[in-house]
Amino acid sequence: MRPVEEWQDVYDLLDAVRQRPNAWVRNGSLEELAVLMFGYHLALQVHDVDETFEFHRGCGGFASWLSRTRGWSMATGWDAAIAEHLPGEPPLDDFFRLLDEYREFPRSAGQ
């Protein structure tokens, strides 16, 4: 795992979460992951960092992609939608499987 000082974007944080989930979120909670993502986004704003942030709970690129490709409502956020539509599977495993798919999905500029 790369040191924090070498991280370039939110995907480096998510890679760290994937490698050591219990160090970042309790009990594989997607809600806690969403709160972590909110904190990351807030830090970007406070420190005026120019980084596209795709993990807003209900309207970011990831949520929009889930809505378009799965037909899921994002009214309560991507974390709740994953838990609702994929019950019985480990939530973080589902998230990372969907994240990998999202990262491979071709996007045009502005999406």
Side-chain angles (χ1 to χ4, degrees), residues 21-22 24-33 90-93 95:
N22 293 329
W24 295 94
V25 295
R26 287 182 292 180
N27 302 319
S29 168
L30 288 183
E31 184 177 7
E32 285 197 18
L33 180 61
L92 275 181
D93 291 351
F95 170 79

Side-chain angles (χ1 to χ4, degrees), residues 65-97:
W65 173 80
L66 284 174
S67 181
R68 278 191 321 274
T69 61
R70 302 299 193 280
W72 299 348
S73 169
M74 291 297 123
T76 56
W78 53 259
D79 54 320
I82 292 169
E84 176 185 342
H85 293 284
L86 301 173
E89 298 189 33
L92 275 181
D93 291 351
D94 291 332
F95 170 79
F96 285 116
R97 181 178 49 77

Side-chain angles (χ1 to χ4, degrees), residues 10-109:
V10 70
Y11 293 106
D12 289 328
L13 171 59
L14 289 170
D15 287 343
V17 173
R18 185 190 306 241
Q19 290 175 9
R20 296 188 60 214
N22 293 329
W24 295 94
V25 295
R26 287 182 292 180
N27 302 319
S29 168
L30 288 183
E31 184 177 7
E32 285 197 18
L33 180 61
V35 170
L36 179 66
M37 293 292 94
F38 175 79
Y40 183 92
H41 183 246
L42 184 60
L44 291 175
Q45 292 177 321
V46 166
H47 296 287
D48 199 28
V49 175
D50 184 23
E51 178 182 326
T52 301
F53 184 74
E54 301 179 359
F55 296 94
H56 297 281
R57 286 183 84 187
C59 63
F62 182 66
S64 297
W65 173 80
L66 284 174
S67 181
R68 278 191 321 274
T69 61
R70 302 299 193 280
W72 299 348
S73 169
M74 291 297 123
T76 56
W78 53 259
D79 54 320
I82 292 169
E84 176 185 342
H85 293 284
L86 301 173
E89 298 189 33
L92 275 181
D93 291 351
D94 291 332
F95 170 79
F96 285 116
R97 181 178 49 77
L98 291 166
L99 177 66
D100 291 342
E101 189 178 329
Y102 173 69
R103 290 182 80 178
E104 292 180 10
F105 192 79
R107 292 184 291 281
S108 62

